[in-house]
Amino acid sequence: MSNSTKPFLRALSGEILTPPPFWLMRQAGRYLPEYRATRTEAGSFLDLCYTPDLAVEVTLQPLRRYGFDAAILFSDILVVPDALGQKVSFKEGEGPVLPPIRSAADLDRLNLSGFHEHLAPVYATMAGLSKAIPATTALIGFAGAPWTVATYMVEGSGSKDFPNAKGMMFSQPELFARLMALLTQATGDYLIRQIDNGAEVIQIFDTWAGALPELEFDKWVIAPTRALVERIRAERPGVPVIGFPRGAGVLYKRYVLETKVDGVSIDSSVPLDWAAAELQPHCTVQGNLDPLLLVAGGEALDAGIDRVLSKLGKGRFIFNLGHGIVPPTPPENVARLAERVKNWKG
């Protein structure tokens, strides 16, 4: 059991709390008018990520409105390749664009020299947040999991079916293994430094985990995540880790058992009864309201919230969405959710 007064940390240590702690992925974002104003002030999205005062401000905005039990560092998973020397830019309406890694020569141009210097503004944001958040709010640091970050690095952009990343994995396994080793090292270094600047919890986002077949899931989702969990436990004991292998289906259970994460975030497709029976006995479960219910609002939202709470609230649980808040979400619907979760009696 945690000796913390923070409900979020207590839930991750195994306590069953009523009501459960809650926060929402992408709780700082475009659905909030104050975020849009700060984003305009920053210039580009990456400028916002690399400007500590503004990144602290957008992290705090949803806390002021809704009283979430956790704040998550405002940044992006692609600051890691950016810091390794693969220039990242975000094009309006297109998303991230990177010069793709397709050969050994491309990979040779990336390295860890100057990595922490490049990410110094992110660490400054974390340090600023640790001083600025309320005393009962937990501070989450995060990174993209190596497989998910690798997909962007090899494709050069977002993708639906990852033909180049999977092509490298299957036809150039040694090159792909080199890329994943670099990412696992860099991600571990990055997360340790976040902890040293105030992160109390780590979340590892493996957004595209569900794209991999079983054997590759074991090799490129489970194994790197287990290595990161083991490193954090060894070097910064006591800092819990939440994994989010989105789309993993029945492989969620193997992921939990083999990575030994303290918590697992589940996407909206995971059956609640199955999660309660197969995942909650092994770790704290976080999730999994459909983000589009938050857009819809009204009675449908209320019923969805109640269903998640009734199915998962009897065990180790943190209320969240099955993925991030989407931009069309009305802020008043988030307020409705916050009030309903806070008032839940079990």
Side-chain angles (χ1 to χ4, degrees):
M1 293 291 172
S2 171
N3 58 11
S4 175
T5 57
K6 301 187 178 192
F8 187 81
L9 298 180
R10 289 167 57 198
L12 280 172
S13 77
E15 282 191 60
I16 299 169
L17 302 176
T18 306
F22 78 112
W23 69 286
L24 304 178
M25 290 182 273
R26 288 206 206 113
Q27 61 193 26
R30 286 177 287 172
Y31 75 104
L32 288 177
E34 57 266 44
Y35 170 89
R36 295 194 297 271
T38 309
R39 164 80 187 266
T40 302
E41 182 186 343
S44 75
F45 173 70
L46 266 184
D47 286 335
L48 179 53
C49 293
Y50 288 140
T51 306
D53 289 351
L54 298 182
V56 167
E57 167 58 24
V58 294
T59 306
L60 295 175
Q61 287 167 352
L63 300 185
R64 295 183 192 122
R65 277 188 182 248
Y66 308 116
F68 292 120
D69 291 299
I72 186 164
L73 168 74
F74 186 84
S75 186
D76 190 83
I77 64 171
L78 297 184
V79 299
V80 166
D82 199 49
L84 288 169
Q86 186 182 18
K87 181 68 178 160
V88 176
S89 58
F90 284 82
K91 294 200 173 164
E92 208 61 49
E94 275 184 56
V97 179
L98 308 82
I101 304 297
R102 301 282 169 81
S103 68
D106 293 337
L107 184 53
D108 288 342
R109 287 194 279 272
L110 306 183
N111 60 72
L112 283 160
S113 69
F115 181 77
H116 289 306
E117 289 78 5
H118 188 95
L119 293 170
V122 180
Y123 306 139
T125 299
M126 185 67 84
L129 283 169
S130 70
K131 299 183 183 75
I133 59 172
T136 56
T137 305
L139 183 54
I140 306 170
F142 78 93
W147 156 248
T148 287
V149 175
T151 66
Y152 291 95
M153 295 176 74
V154 178
E155 299 296 337
S157 65
S159 174
K160 288 193 169 68
D161 46 12
F162 317 106
N164 296 294
K166 284 186 161 183
M168 183 187 291
M169 177 198 304
F170 290 133
S171 62
Q172 298 176 272
E174 290 178 2
L175 180 62
F176 189 73
R178 269 186 60 205
L179 172 60
M180 290 292 284
L182 174 64
L183 278 172
T184 304
Q185 176 68 46
T187 303
D189 293 352
Y190 179 50
L191 292 173
I192 295 293
R193 193 65 68 95
Q194 287 186 40
I195 293 165
D196 291 345
N197 281 280
E200 300 171 288
V201 179
I202 292 299
Q203 179 151 323
I204 298 170
F205 288 87
D206 219 341
T207 309
W208 305 123
L212 290 177
E214 182 180 10
L215 294 179
E216 287 70 30
F217 185 93
D218 287 350
K219 191 169 185 181
W220 301 124
V221 171
I222 288 178
T225 303
R226 181 171 59 233
L228 290 169
V229 171
E230 288 173 353
R231 181 171 172 194
I232 290 167
R233 293 243 166 91
E235 296 184 23
R236 301 296 182 270
V239 176
V241 179
I242 303 168
F244 184 26
R246 188 167 78 106
V250 295
L251 294 174
Y252 264 106
K253 184 173 182 180
R254 189 186 301 176
Y255 176 96
V256 164
L257 293 175
E258 296 189 15
T259 64
K260 297 186 165 50
V261 286
D262 302 277
V264 68
S265 207
I266 57 174
D267 64 72
S268 302
S269 73
V270 177
L272 296 172
D273 288 333
W274 183 86
E278 301 296 333
L279 302 180
Q280 271 187 323
H282 306 291
C283 73
T284 301
V285 170
Q286 174 178 277
N288 76 337
L289 187 77
D290 191 318
L292 293 176
L293 274 174
L294 200 51
V295 178
E299 292 180 6
L301 173 61
D302 292 347
I305 292 167
D306 291 352
R307 185 165 181 272
V308 174
L309 287 168
S310 66
K311 296 285 188 180
L312 295 176
K314 300 178 188 71
R316 299 183 273 180
F317 180 53
I318 295 163
F319 190 96
N320 208 310
L321 304 178
H323 198 222
I325 295 180
V326 294
T329 302
E332 58 270 24
N333 289 358
V334 182
R336 183 176 182 137
L337 177 150
E339 184 178 5
R340 198 164 188 91
V341 175
K342 286 177 187 176
N343 290 325
W344 189 65
K345 302 287 194 290

